[in-house]
Amino acid sequence: VDSVAIIQGGALRTYPFDPSVDSVAIILKTDGRPLNARIELLQGPNNNKQVVELYTEDGLDRPFFAIVETPGSGNVVRVVNTAPVEFPLYASVDAYRVGGGIDWPDDGLMIGRAF
């Protein structure tokens, strides 16, 4: 994990990725408080965004982790803390695989994959 950002309740953070990034790793957790968030994958200006909404009562005991495919260009991952301001979350969104990996095994939550 390269960097961790604190996202206050009601706030959002965007993570744009280079076209060479084929998938990203997303980790969300709290300090033991509830984790209530929305993860959005935006792929270019003319595509519908893909959304994951999540909730857990204790973001320290049960953090969220996913590998999300981001093929093509114009990929942006947006993390929205939908909890009140009293419940910040800690987010890390980093490149997972870079540069051509077409025949990967399913090793996590896959969003944007063509079946």
Side-chain angles (χ1 to χ4, degrees), residues 18-114:
D18 189 81
S20 65
V21 175
D22 293 322
S23 65
V24 298
I26 302 170
I27 303 171
L28 302 179
K29 69 177 193 171
T30 68
D31 58 2
R33 299 177 193 180
L35 171 64
N36 200 348
R38 185 172 64 241
I39 300 168
E40 301 172 352
L41 174 62
L42 296 87
Q43 296 180 292
N46 297 324
N47 292 328
N48 291 332
K49 65 182 172 186
Q50 299 178 60
V51 179
V52 173
E53 293 193 23
L54 57 106
Y55 173 80
T56 181
E57 285 228 2
D58 186 334
L60 184 61
D61 284 344
R62 292 175 293 282
F64 176 81
F65 174 75
I67 304 296
V68 178
E69 288 191 354
T70 56
S73 62
N75 291 301
V76 175
V77 174
R78 184 163 48 191
V79 177
V80 182
N81 185 347
T82 55
V85 71
E86 298 86 10
F87 300 108
L89 65 82
Y90 302 93
S92 176
V93 180
D94 291 308
Y96 182 70
R97 293 197 192 214
V98 179
I102 294 181
D103 49 355
W104 304 335
D106 289 341
D107 57 356
L109 174 66
M110 299 293 178
I111 298 175
R113 184 174 196 147

Coordinates of all heavy atoms in Angstrom, one line a residue, residues 18-114:
D18 N -3.7 5.9 -15.5 CA -3.1 5.8 -16.8 C -3.7 4.7 -17.6 O -4.1 3.6 -17.0 CB -1.6 5.7 -16.7 CG -0.9 5.8 -18.0 OD1 -0.6 7.0 -18.4 OD2 -0.6 4.8 -18.6
P19 N -3.8 4.7 -19.0 CA -4.3 3.6 -19.8 C -3.5 2.3 -19.6 O -4.1 1.2 -19.9 CB -4.3 4.1 -21.2 CG -4.3 5.6 -21.1 CD -3.6 5.9 -19.8
S20 N -2.3 2.4 -19.2 CA -1.5 1.2 -19.0 C -1.9 0.4 -17.8 O -1.5 -0.8 -17.6 CB 0.0 1.5 -18.9 OG 0.3 2.3 -17.7
V21 N -2.7 0.9 -16.9 CA -3.1 0.2 -15.7 C -4.3 -0.6 -16.0 O -5.4 -0.1 -16.4 CB -3.5 1.2 -14.5 CG1 -4.0 0.5 -13.3 CG2 -2.3 2.1 -14.1
D22 N -4.2 -1.9 -15.9 CA -5.2 -2.9 -16.2 C -6.2 -3.2 -15.1 O -7.3 -3.7 -15.3 CB -4.6 -4.2 -16.7 CG -3.9 -4.0 -18.1 OD1 -4.4 -3.2 -18.9 OD2 -2.8 -4.6 -18.3
S23 N -5.7 -3.0 -13.8 CA -6.6 -3.2 -12.7 C -6.0 -2.5 -11.5 O -4.8 -2.2 -11.4 CB -6.7 -4.7 -12.3 OG -5.5 -5.3 -12.0
V24 N -6.9 -2.2 -10.5 CA -6.5 -1.4 -9.3 C -6.9 -2.2 -8.1 O -7.9 -3.0 -8.1 CB -7.1 0.0 -9.3 CG1 -6.6 0.8 -10.5 CG2 -8.6 0.0 -9.3
A25 N -6.2 -2.0 -7.0 CA -6.5 -2.6 -5.7 C -7.1 -1.5 -4.9 O -6.6 -0.4 -4.7 CB -5.3 -3.2 -5.0
I26 N -8.3 -1.8 -4.3 CA -9.0 -0.8 -3.4 C -9.1 -1.4 -2.0 O -9.6 -2.5 -1.9 CB -10.4 -0.5 -4.0 CG1 -10.3 0.0 -5.4 CG2 -11.2 0.4 -3.1 CD1 -11.6 0.1 -6.1
I27 N -8.7 -0.7 -1.0 CA -8.8 -1.1 0.4 C -9.5 0.1 1.1 O -9.0 1.2 1.0 CB -7.4 -1.4 1.0 CG1 -6.7 -2.4 0.2 CG2 -7.6 -1.8 2.5 CD1 -5.3 -2.6 0.7
L28 N -10.6 -0.2 1.8 CA -11.3 0.7 2.6 C -11.4 0.2 4.0 O -11.8 -1.0 4.2 CB -12.7 1.0 2.1 CG -12.8 1.6 0.6 CD1 -14.3 1.8 0.3 CD2 -12.0 2.8 0.4
K29 N -11.1 1.0 5.0 CA -11.3 0.6 6.4 C -11.5 1.8 7.3 O -11.4 3.0 6.8 CB -10.1 -0.2 6.9 CG -8.8 0.7 7.1 CD -7.7 -0.2 7.6 CE -6.6 0.7 8.1 NZ -5.6 -0.1 8.9
T30 N -11.9 1.6 8.5 CA -12.1 2.6 9.5 C -11.4 2.3 10.8 O -10.7 1.3 10.8 CB -13.6 2.8 9.9 OG1 -14.1 1.7 10.6 CG2 -14.5 3.0 8.6
D31 N -11.5 3.1 11.8 CA -10.8 2.8 13.1 C -11.7 2.0 14.0 O -11.5 2.1 15.2 CB -10.4 4.2 13.7 CG -11.6 5.1 14.0 OD1 -12.7 4.7 13.7 OD2 -11.3 6.2 14.5
G32 N -12.7 1.3 13.5 CA -13.6 0.5 14.3 C -15.0 1.0 14.2 O -15.9 0.4 14.7
R33 N -15.2 2.1 13.6 CA -16.6 2.7 13.4 C -17.2 2.1 12.1 O -16.5 1.4 11.4 CB -16.5 4.2 13.3 CG -15.9 4.8 14.5 CD -15.8 6.3 14.3 NE -14.9 6.9 15.3 CZ -14.6 8.2 15.4 NH1 -15.1 9.0 14.5 NH2 -13.9 8.6 16.4
P34 N -18.5 2.3 11.9 CA -19.1 1.8 10.7 C -18.4 2.4 9.4 O -18.0 3.5 9.4 CB -20.6 2.3 10.8 CG -20.8 2.5 12.3 CD -19.4 3.0 12.8
L35 N -18.4 1.5 8.4 CA -17.9 1.9 7.1 C -19.1 1.9 6.1 O -19.8 0.9 6.0 CB -16.9 0.9 6.7 CG -16.4 0.9 5.2 CD1 -15.6 2.3 5.0 CD2 -15.4 -0.2 4.9
N36 N -19.4 3.1 5.6 CA -20.5 3.2 4.7 C -20.0 4.0 3.5 O -19.6 5.2 3.6 CB -21.6 4.0 5.4 CG -23.0 3.8 4.7 OD1 -23.0 3.3 3.6 ND2 -24.0 4.2 5.4
A37 N -19.8 3.4 2.3 CA -19.2 4.0 1.2 C -19.7 3.6 -0.1 O -20.5 2.6 -0.2 CB -17.7 3.7 1.2
R38 N -19.4 4.3 -1.2 CA -19.7 4.0 -2.5 C -18.5 4.1 -3.4 O -17.7 5.1 -3.3 CB -20.8 5.0 -3.0 CG -21.3 4.6 -4.4 CD -22.5 5.5 -4.9 NE -22.2 6.9 -5.0 CZ -22.7 7.8 -4.3 NH1 -23.6 7.6 -3.4 NH2 -22.3 9.1 -4.5
I39 N -18.2 3.1 -4.2 CA -17.1 3.1 -5.1 C -17.6 3.1 -6.5 O -18.5 2.4 -6.9 CB -16.2 1.8 -4.9 CG1 -15.7 1.7 -3.5 CG2 -15.1 1.8 -5.9 CD1 -15.1 0.4 -3.1
E40 N -17.1 4.1 -7.3 CA -17.6 4.3 -8.6 C -16.4 4.1 -9.6 O -15.3 4.6 -9.3 CB -18.2 5.7 -8.8 CG -19.3 5.9 -7.9 CD -19.8 7.4 -7.9 OE1 -19.2 8.2 -8.5 OE2 -20.8 7.6 -7.2
L41 N -16.7 3.4 -10.7 CA -15.7 3.3 -11.7 C -16.2 4.0 -13.0 O -17.3 3.6 -13.5 CB -15.4 1.8 -12.1 CG -14.5 1.5 -13.3 CD1 -13.1 2.1 -13.1 CD2 -14.4 0.1 -13.6
L42 N -15.5 5.0 -13.4 CA -15.9 5.8 -14.6 C -14.9 5.5 -15.6 O -13.7 5.6 -15.4 CB -15.9 7.3 -14.3 CG -16.9 7.8 -13.2 CD1 -16.3 7.7 -11.8 CD2 -17.3 9.2 -13.5
Q43 N -15.4 5.0 -16.8 CA -14.5 4.6 -17.9 C -14.8 5.4 -19.1 O -15.7 5.1 -19.9 CB -14.7 3.1 -18.2 CG -14.3 2.2 -17.0 CD -14.5 0.7 -17.3 OE1 -15.6 0.3 -17.5 NE2 -13.4 0.0 -17.5
G44 N -14.1 6.5 -19.2 CA -14.3 7.4 -20.4 C -15.6 8.3 -20.2 O -16.4 8.0 -19.3
P45 N -15.7 9.3 -21.1 CA -16.8 10.2 -20.9 C -18.2 9.7 -21.3 O -19.2 10.2 -20.9 CB -16.3 11.4 -21.8 CG -15.5 10.8 -22.8 CD -14.8 9.6 -22.1
N46 N -18.2 8.7 -22.2 CA -19.5 8.3 -22.8 C -20.0 6.9 -22.2 O -21.0 6.4 -22.7 CB -19.4 8.2 -24.3 CG -19.1 9.5 -24.9 OD1 -19.5 10.5 -24.4 ND2 -18.3 9.5 -25.9
N47 N -19.4 6.4 -21.1 CA -19.9 5.2 -20.6 C -20.6 5.4 -19.2 O -20.3 6.4 -18.5 CB -18.7 4.2 -20.3 CG -18.1 3.7 -21.6 OD1 -18.8 3.6 -22.6 ND2 -16.8 3.5 -21.6
N48 N -21.5 4.5 -18.9 CA -22.2 4.6 -17.6 C -21.2 4.2 -16.5 O -20.4 3.3 -16.7 CB -23.4 3.7 -17.6 CG -24.5 4.2 -18.5 OD1 -24.7 5.3 -18.7 ND2 -25.3 3.2 -18.9
K49 N -21.3 4.9 -15.4 CA -20.4 4.5 -14.3 C -20.9 3.2 -13.7 O -22.1 2.9 -13.7 CB -20.3 5.6 -13.3 CG -21.5 6.0 -12.5 CD -21.3 7.1 -11.6 CE -22.6 7.6 -11.0 NZ -22.4 8.8 -10.2
Q50 N -20.0 2.5 -13.1 CA -20.3 1.2 -12.4 C -20.1 1.5 -10.9 O -19.1 2.1 -10.6 CB -19.4 0.1 -12.9 CG -19.7 -0.2 -14.4 CD -18.8 -1.2 -14.9 OE1 -18.9 -2.4 -14.5 NE2 -18.0 -0.9 -15.9
V51 N -21.0 1.0 -10.1 CA -21.1 1.4 -8.7 C -21.2 0.2 -7.8 O -21.9 -0.7 -8.1 CB -22.3 2.3 -8.5 CG1 -22.4 2.8 -7.0 CG2 -22.3 3.6 -9.3
V52 N -20.4 0.3 -6.7 CA -20.5 -0.7 -5.6 C -20.8 0.1 -4.4 O -20.1 1.1 -4.0 CB -19.2 -1.5 -5.4 CG1 -19.3 -2.4 -4.2 CG2 -18.9 -2.3 -6.6
E53 N -21.9 -0.2 -3.7 CA -22.3 0.4 -2.4 C -22.0 -0.6 -1.3 O -22.4 -1.8 -1.5 CB -23.7 0.9 -2.4 CG -24.0 2.0 -3.4 CD -25.3 2.7 -3.2 OE1 -25.8 2.6 -2.1 OE2 -25.8 3.3 -4.2
L54 N -21.4 -0.2 -0.2 CA -21.0 -1.1 0.8 C -21.3 -0.5 2.2 O -21.2 0.7 2.4 CB -19.6 -1.6 0.6 CG -18.5 -0.6 0.6 CD1 -17.8 -0.6 2.0 CD2 -17.6 -0.8 -0.5
Y55 N -21.5 -1.5 3.1 CA -21.7 -1.1 4.5 C -21.2 -2.2 5.4 O -21.4 -3.4 5.1 CB -23.1 -0.9 4.8 CG -23.4 -0.7 6.3 CD1 -23.1 0.6 6.9 CD2 -23.8 -1.7 7.1 CE1 -23.3 0.8 8.3 CE2 -24.0 -1.5 8.5 CZ -23.7 -0.3 9.1 OH -23.9 -0.1 10.4
T56 N -20.5 -1.9 6.4 CA -20.1 -2.8 7.5 C -20.1 -2.1 8.8 O -19.8 -0.9 8.9 CB -18.7 -3.5 7.2 OG1 -18.4 -4.4 8.2 CG2 -17.6 -2.5 7.1
E57 N -20.5 -2.8 9.9 CA -20.6 -2.2 11.2 C -19.3 -1.8 11.8 O -19.2 -0.9 12.6 CB -21.4 -3.1 12.1 CG -22.8 -3.1 11.9 CD -23.7 -2.9 13.1 OE1 -23.1 -2.7 14.2 OE2 -24.9 -3.0 12.9
D58 N -18.2 -2.5 11.4 CA -16.9 -2.3 12.0 C -15.9 -2.4 10.9 O -15.5 -3.5 10.5 CB -16.6 -3.3 13.1 CG -15.3 -3.0 13.9 OD1 -14.4 -2.4 13.3 OD2 -15.2 -3.4 15.0
G59 N -15.4 -1.2 10.4 CA -14.5 -1.2 9.3 C -13.1 -1.6 9.7 O -12.2 -1.7 8.8
L60 N -12.8 -1.8 11.0 CA -11.5 -2.3 11.4 C -11.5 -3.8 11.4 O -10.5 -4.5 10.8 CB -11.1 -1.8 12.7 CG -9.7 -2.1 13.2 CD1 -8.6 -1.6 12.3 CD2 -9.5 -1.6 14.6
D61 N -12.5 -4.4 11.9 CA -12.6 -5.9 12.0 C -13.0 -6.5 10.6 O -12.6 -7.6 10.2 CB -13.7 -6.4 13.0 CG -13.2 -6.3 14.4 OD1 -12.0 -6.2 14.6 OD2 -14.1 -6.3 15.3
R62 N -13.7 -5.7 9.8 CA -14.2 -6.2 8.5 C -14.0 -5.1 7.4 O -14.9 -4.4 6.9 CB -15.7 -6.5 8.6 CG -15.9 -7.8 9.4 CD -17.4 -8.0 9.6 NE -18.1 -7.0 10.4 CZ -18.1 -7.0 11.7 NH1 -17.4 -7.8 12.4 NH2 -18.8 -6.0 12.3
P63 N -12.7 -4.9 7.1 CA -12.4 -3.9 6.0 C -12.9 -4.4 4.7 O -13.2 -5.6 4.5 CB -10.9 -3.7 6.1 CG -10.4 -5.0 6.7 CD -11.5 -5.5 7.6
F64 N -12.9 -3.5 3.7 CA -13.3 -3.9 2.3 C -12.0 -3.9 1.4 O -11.2 -3.0 1.5 CB -14.3 -2.9 1.7 CG -14.6 -3.1 0.3 CD1 -15.6 -4.1 0.0 CD2 -14.0 -2.4 -0.7 CE1 -15.9 -4.3 -1.3 CE2 -14.3 -2.7 -2.0 CZ -15.3 -3.6 -2.3
F65 N -11.9 -5.0 0.6 CA -10.8 -5.1 -0.3 C -11.3 -5.7 -1.6 O -12.1 -6.6 -1.6 CB -9.7 -6.0 0.2 CG -8.6 -6.3 -0.8 CD1 -7.7 -5.4 -1.1 CD2 -8.6 -7.5 -1.5 CE1 -6.7 -5.6 -2.0 CE2 -7.6 -7.8 -2.4 CZ -6.6 -6.8 -2.6
A66 N -10.9 -5.1 -2.8 CA -11.3 -5.6 -4.1 C -10.3 -5.2 -5.1 O -9.5 -4.3 -5.0 CB -12.6 -4.9 -4.5
I67 N -10.2 -6.1 -6.1 CA -9.4 -5.9 -7.3 C -10.4 -5.5 -8.4 O -11.3 -6.3 -8.7 CB -8.6 -7.1 -7.7 CG1 -7.7 -7.6 -6.6 CG2 -7.8 -6.8 -9.0 CD1 -6.6 -6.6 -6.2
V68 N -10.2 -4.4 -9.0 CA -11.2 -3.9 -10.0 C -10.4 -3.7 -11.4 O -9.4 -3.0 -11.4 CB -11.8 -2.5 -9.6 CG1 -12.8 -2.0 -10.7 CG2 -12.5 -2.7 -8.3
E69 N -11.0 -4.4 -12.4 CA -10.3 -4.2 -13.7 C -10.6 -2.8 -14.3 O -11.8 -2.3 -14.2 CB -10.8 -5.3 -14.7 CG -10.3 -6.7 -14.3 CD -10.6 -7.7 -15.4 OE1 -11.3 -7.4 -16.4 OE2 -10.0 -8.8 -15.3
T70 N -9.6 -2.3 -14.9 CA -9.8 -0.9 -15.5 C -9.2 -0.9 -16.9 O -8.2 -0.2 -17.2 CB -9.1 0.1 -14.7 OG1 -7.7 -0.2 -14.5 CG2 -9.7 0.3 -13.3
P71 N -9.7 -1.7 -17.8 CA -9.2 -1.8 -19.2 C -9.5 -0.5 -20.0 O -10.4 0.2 -19.7 CB -9.9 -3.0 -19.8 CG -11.2 -3.0 -19.1 CD -10.9 -2.6 -17.7
G72 N -8.6 -0.2 -20.9 CA -8.8 1.0 -21.7 C -8.3 2.3 -21.1 O -7.5 2.3 -20.2
S73 N -8.8 3.4 -21.7 CA -8.3 4.7 -21.2 C -9.4 5.5 -20.6 O -10.6 5.1 -20.7 CB -7.8 5.5 -22.4 OG -8.8 5.7 -23.4
G74 N -9.1 6.5 -19.9 CA -10.0 7.4 -19.2 C -10.6 6.8 -18.0 O -11.7 7.2 -17.6
N75 N -9.9 5.9 -17.3 CA -10.5 5.3 -16.1 C -10.2 6.1 -14.8 O -9.1 6.6 -14.6 CB -9.8 3.9 -15.9 CG -10.2 2.9 -16.9 OD1 -11.4 2.7 -17.0 ND2 -9.3 2.4 -17.7
V76 N -11.3 6.3 -14.1 CA -11.2 7.0 -12.8 C -12.0 6.2 -11.8 O -13.1 5.8 -12.0 CB -11.9 8.5 -12.9 CG1 -11.9 9.2 -11.6 CG2 -11.1 9.3 -13.9
V77 N -11.4 6.0 -10.6 CA -12.1 5.4 -9.5 C -12.4 6.5 -8.5 O -11.5 7.3 -8.2 CB -11.2 4.3 -8.8 CG1 -11.9 3.8 -7.6 CG2 -10.9 3.2 -9.8
R78 N -13.7 6.5 -8.1 CA -14.1 7.6 -7.2 C -14.6 6.9 -5.9 O -15.5 6.0 -6.0 CB -15.2 8.4 -7.8 CG -15.6 9.6 -6.9 CD -16.4 10.6 -7.7 NE -17.4 10.1 -8.5 CZ -18.1 10.8 -9.4 NH1 -17.8 12.1 -9.6 NH2 -19.0 10.3 -10.2
V79 N -14.1 7.3 -4.7 CA -14.5 6.7 -3.5 C -15.3 7.8 -2.7 O -14.8 8.9 -2.5 CB -13.3 6.2 -2.6 CG1 -13.8 5.7 -1.3 CG2 -12.6 5.2 -3.4
V80 N -16.6 7.5 -2.4 CA -17.4 8.5 -1.7 C -17.7 7.9 -0.3 O -18.2 6.8 -0.2 CB -18.8 8.7 -2.5 CG1 -19.6 9.7 -1.7 CG2 -18.5 9.1 -3.9
N81 N -17.4 8.7 0.7 CA -17.8 8.3 2.1 C -19.2 8.8 2.3 O -19.4 10.0 2.5 CB -16.8 8.9 3.1 CG -17.1 8.4 4.5 OD1 -18.1 7.8 4.8 ND2 -16.1 8.7 5.4
T82 N -20.2 7.9 2.3 CA -21.6 8.2 2.5 C -22.0 8.3 3.9 O -23.2 8.5 4.2 CB -22.5 7.2 1.7 OG1 -22.2 5.9 2.1 CG2 -22.2 7.3 0.2
A83 N -21.1 8.1 4.9 CA -21.4 8.2 6.3 C -21.4 9.7 6.7 O -20.9 10.5 6.0 CB -20.3 7.4 7.1
P84 N -21.9 9.9 7.9 CA -21.8 11.3 8.5 C -20.4 11.7 8.7 O -19.5 10.9 8.8 CB -22.6 11.2 9.8 CG -23.3 10.0 9.8 CD -22.6 9.1 8.8
V85 N -20.2 13.0 8.9 CA -18.8 13.6 9.1 C -18.1 12.9 10.3 O -16.8 12.9 10.3 CB -18.9 15.1 9.2 CG1 -19.5 15.5 10.5 CG2 -17.5 15.7 9.0
E86 N -18.8 12.4 11.2 CA -18.1 11.8 12.4 C -17.5 10.5 12.1 O -16.8 9.9 13.0 CB -19.1 11.6 13.5 CG -19.8 12.8 14.1 CD -21.0 13.2 13.2 OE1 -21.5 12.4 12.4 OE2 -21.5 14.4 13.5
F87 N -17.7 9.9 10.9 CA -17.2 8.6 10.6 C -16.2 8.7 9.4 O -16.6 8.3 8.2 CB -18.3 7.6 10.3 CG -19.3 7.5 11.4 CD1 -20.5 8.0 11.4 CD2 -18.9 6.8 12.5 CE1 -21.4 7.9 12.4 CE2 -19.8 6.6 13.6 CZ -21.0 7.2 13.6
P88 N -15.0 9.1 9.5 CA -14.0 9.1 8.4 C -13.6 7.7 8.1 O -13.8 6.7 8.8 CB -12.8 9.8 9.0 CG -12.9 9.6 10.5 CD -14.4 9.5 10.8
L89 N -13.2 7.5 6.8 CA -12.6 6.2 6.4 C -11.2 6.4 5.9 O -10.8 7.5 5.5 CB -13.6 5.5 5.4 CG -13.8 6.1 4.0 CD1 -12.7 5.8 3.1 CD2 -15.1 5.6 3.5
Y90 N -10.5 5.3 5.8 CA -9.1 5.3 5.3 C -9.2 4.5 4.0 O -9.7 3.4 3.9 CB -8.2 4.6 6.3 CG -8.2 5.3 7.6 CD1 -9.0 4.9 8.6 CD2 -7.4 6.4 7.8 CE1 -9.0 5.5 9.9 CE2 -7.4 7.1 9.0 CZ -8.2 6.6 10.1 OH -8.2 7.2 11.3
A91 N -8.7 5.1 2.9 CA -8.8 4.5 1.6 C -7.4 4.4 0.9 O -6.6 5.4 1.0 CB -9.7 5.3 0.7
S92 N -7.2 3.3 0.3 CA -6.0 3.2 -0.5 C -6.4 2.6 -1.9 O -7.1 1.6 -1.9 CB -5.0 2.2 0.1 OG -3.9 2.0 -0.7
V93 N -6.1 3.3 -3.0 CA -6.5 2.9 -4.3 C -5.2 3.0 -5.1 O -4.7 4.1 -5.4 CB -7.6 3.8 -4.9 CG1 -7.9 3.3 -6.3 CG2 -8.8 3.8 -4.0
D94 N -4.6 1.8 -5.5 CA -3.3 1.8 -6.2 C -3.4 0.9 -7.4 O -4.2 -0.1 -7.4 CB -2.2 1.3 -5.3 CG -1.9 2.3 -4.2 OD1 -1.7 3.5 -4.5 OD2 -1.9 1.9 -3.0
A95 N -2.5 1.1 -8.4 CA -2.4 0.2 -9.5 C -2.1 -1.2 -9.0 O -1.2 -1.4 -8.1 CB -1.4 0.7 -10.5
Y96 N -2.8 -2.2 -9.6 CA -2.5 -3.6 -9.2 C -1.7 -4.3 -10.3 O -0.7 -4.9 -10.1 CB -3.8 -4.3 -8.9 CG -3.7 -5.7 -8.5 CD1 -3.2 -6.0 -7.2 CD2 -4.1 -6.8 -9.3 CE1 -3.1 -7.3 -6.8 CE2 -4.0 -8.1 -8.9 CZ -3.5 -8.3 -7.6 OH -3.4 -9.6 -7.2
R97 N -2.3 -4.3 -11.5 CA -1.6 -4.8 -12.7 C -1.4 -3.8 -13.7 O -2.4 -3.0 -14.0 CB -2.4 -6.0 -13.3 CG -2.4 -7.2 -12.3 CD -2.8 -8.4 -13.0 NE -3.0 -9.4 -12.0 CZ -2.8 -10.7 -12.1 NH1 -2.2 -11.1 -13.3 NH2 -3.0 -11.5 -11.2
V98 N -0.2 -3.7 -14.3 CA 0.1 -2.7 -15.3 C 0.6 -3.4 -16.5 O 1.4 -4.2 -16.5 CB 1.1 -1.7 -14.8 CG1 1.5 -0.7 -15.8 CG2 0.6 -1.0 -13.5
G99 N 0.0 -3.0 -17.7 CA 0.5 -3.5 -19.0 C 0.0 -4.9 -19.3 O 0.6 -5.9 -18.8
G100 N -1.0 -5.0 -20.2 CA -1.5 -6.2 -20.8 C -1.5 -7.5 -20.0 O -0.5 -8.2 -19.9
G101 N -2.7 -7.9 -19.6 CA -2.9 -9.1 -18.9 C -4.3 -9.6 -19.2 O -5.2 -9.5 -18.5
I102 N -4.4 -10.2 -20.4 CA -5.7 -10.5 -20.9 C -6.3 -11.8 -20.3 O -7.5 -11.9 -20.1 CB -5.7 -10.6 -22.5 CG1 -5.4 -9.3 -23.0 CG2 -7.0 -11.2 -23.0 CD1 -5.3 -9.1 -24.4
D103 N -5.5 -12.8 -20.0 CA -6.0 -14.1 -19.5 C -5.7 -14.3 -18.0 O -5.1 -15.3 -17.6 CB -5.4 -15.2 -20.4 CG -3.9 -15.2 -20.5 OD1 -3.3 -14.2 -20.1 OD2 -3.4 -16.1 -21.1
W104 N -6.1 -13.3 -17.2 CA -5.9 -13.5 -15.8 C -7.0 -14.3 -15.2 O -8.1 -14.4 -15.7 CB -6.0 -12.1 -15.1 CG -5.1 -11.1 -15.6 CD1 -3.9 -11.3 -16.2 CD2 -5.2 -9.7 -15.5 NE1 -3.3 -10.1 -16.5 CE2 -4.1 -9.1 -16.1 CE3 -6.2 -8.9 -15.0 CZ2 -3.9 -7.8 -16.2 CZ3 -6.0 -7.5 -15.1 CH2 -4.9 -7.0 -15.7
P105 N -6.7 -15.0 -14.1 CA -7.8 -15.7 -13.4 C -8.6 -14.7 -12.6 O -8.2 -13.6 -12.3 CB -7.0 -16.6 -12.4 CG -5.7 -15.9 -12.2 CD -5.4 -15.2 -13.5
D106 N -9.9 -15.1 -12.3 CA -10.7 -14.3 -11.4 C -10.2 -14.4 -10.0 O -10.3 -15.4 -9.4 CB -12.2 -14.8 -11.5 CG -12.8 -14.5 -12.8 OD1 -12.3 -13.6 -13.5 OD2 -13.8 -15.1 -13.1
D107 N -9.6 -13.3 -9.5 CA -9.0 -13.4 -8.2 C -9.6 -12.3 -7.3 O -9.0 -11.8 -6.4 CB -7.5 -13.2 -8.2 CG -7.0 -12.0 -8.9 OD1 -7.9 -11.2 -9.5 OD2 -5.8 -11.8 -9.0
G108 N -10.8 -11.8 -7.5 CA -11.4 -10.8 -6.7 C -12.7 -10.3 -7.3 O -13.2 -10.9 -8.3
L109 N -13.2 -9.3 -6.8 CA -14.4 -8.6 -7.4 C -14.0 -8.0 -8.7 O -13.1 -7.1 -8.7 CB -14.9 -7.6 -6.4 CG -16.1 -6.7 -6.9 CD1 -17.3 -7.6 -7.1 CD2 -16.4 -5.6 -5.9
M110 N -14.6 -8.4 -9.8 CA -14.3 -7.8 -11.1 C -15.4 -7.0 -11.6 O -16.5 -7.4 -11.8 CB -14.0 -9.0 -12.1 CG -12.9 -9.9 -11.7 SD -11.3 -9.0 -11.7 CE -10.2 -10.3 -11.1
I111 N -15.1 -5.7 -11.8 CA -16.1 -4.8 -12.3 C -15.6 -4.4 -13.7 O -14.4 -4.1 -13.9 CB -16.2 -3.5 -11.4 CG1 -16.7 -3.9 -10.1 CG2 -17.1 -2.5 -12.1 CD1 -16.7 -2.8 -9.1
G112 N -16.4 -4.3 -14.7 CA -16.1 -3.9 -16.0 C -15.5 -5.0 -16.9 O -15.0 -4.7 -17.9
R113 N -15.6 -6.2 -16.4 CA -15.1 -7.3 -17.2 C -16.1 -7.8 -18.3 O -17.3 -7.9 -18.0 CB -14.8 -8.5 -16.3 CG -14.1 -9.6 -17.0 CD -13.7 -10.6 -16.0 NE -12.7 -11.5 -16.8 CZ -11.7 -12.1 -16.2 NH1 -11.5 -11.9 -15.0 NH2 -10.9 -12.8 -16.9
A114 N -15.6 -8.0 -19.5 CA -16.5 -8.5 -20.5 C -16.5 -10.0 -20.4 O -15.5 -10.7 -20.5 CB -16.0 -8.1 -21.9

